[in-house]
Amino acid sequence: KQKGQKRPKNKQKSSWKLIKFSHYLYKKEVLYMKKENIKPIVYEIQYGKIIVKLDEIMKKLDVSNYELNSKANIKFQTIQNLRINKSSRIDFEVLAKLCYSLDCKVEDILEYIPNNDTK
């Protein structure tokens, strides 16, 4: 390959580079995968959803964002996202801090609402 020439689009990356960077193996394989090998998702299963009831608990206990931040050492933005159910995930450490600071159980904070579809 001469300087300034582009590699042909259909040519795969050499395997020694994939082995050399084994911790990036997955990313490299996905990056150089041909489009015809990608399989579409046929259907999506609705499992239900998890509701965070932190706002209700904080109102019931009359605790502000500032007080919870001071007690639990959780970022304001994290508290706010949990209060308005904007978070898509929650760290176990954050959940443990909330339970300890608010003196409650996990099931007091989180609620599972199953899908209405029949199985």
Side-chain angles (χ1 to χ4, degrees):
K1 181 174 152 181
Q2 293 179 355
K3 190 174 183 179
Q5 282 186 333
K6 292 184 178 180
R7 183 170 45 97
K9 289 183 179 181
N10 62 353
K11 190 173 181 180
Q12 294 280 332
K13 195 99 162 143
S14 61
S15 61
W16 71 268
K17 286 189 178 183
L18 292 176
I19 294 168
K20 184 177 178 184
F21 300 108
S22 62
H23 59 285
Y24 294 111
L25 181 61
Y26 178 73
K27 285 184 179 181
K28 295 291 182 185
E29 283 180 346
V30 171
L31 186 63
Y32 293 102
M33 187 167 48
K34 292 182 180 177
K35 287 185 179 179
E36 56 265 14
N37 293 337
I38 299 173
K39 296 180 182 177
I41 296 174
V42 178
Y43 60 91
E44 186 176 322
I45 299 172
Q46 296 295 325
Y47 297 104
K49 58 183 177 177
I50 302 289
I51 300 295
V52 182
K53 301 184 291 183
L54 183 61
D55 194 43
E56 297 170 21
I57 295 169
M58 289 177 67
K59 285 179 182 175
K60 187 172 82 173
L61 297 175
D62 195 30
V63 176
S64 69
N65 284 3
Y66 178 77
E67 290 172 313
L68 188 57
N69 170 266
S70 299
K71 288 180 183 179
N73 195 21
I74 300 172
K75 293 180 183 178
F76 285 110
Q77 191 62 47
T78 303
I79 294 170
Q80 189 59 30
N81 287 343
L82 289 170
R83 284 186 79 166
I84 62 174
N85 271 307
K86 190 177 175 185
S87 294
S88 60
R89 62 183 59 93
I90 184 169
D91 189 51
F92 286 141
E93 185 177 352
V94 170
L95 194 56
K97 287 178 179 182
L98 289 171
C99 290
Y100 179 79
S101 300
L102 298 171
D103 193 29
C104 63
K105 297 180 182 178
V106 174
E107 54 266 20
D108 296 334
I109 297 173
L110 301 176
E111 179 183 358
Y112 170 67
I113 299 176
N115 189 16
N116 292 334
D117 294 344
T118 57
K119 294 180 181 179

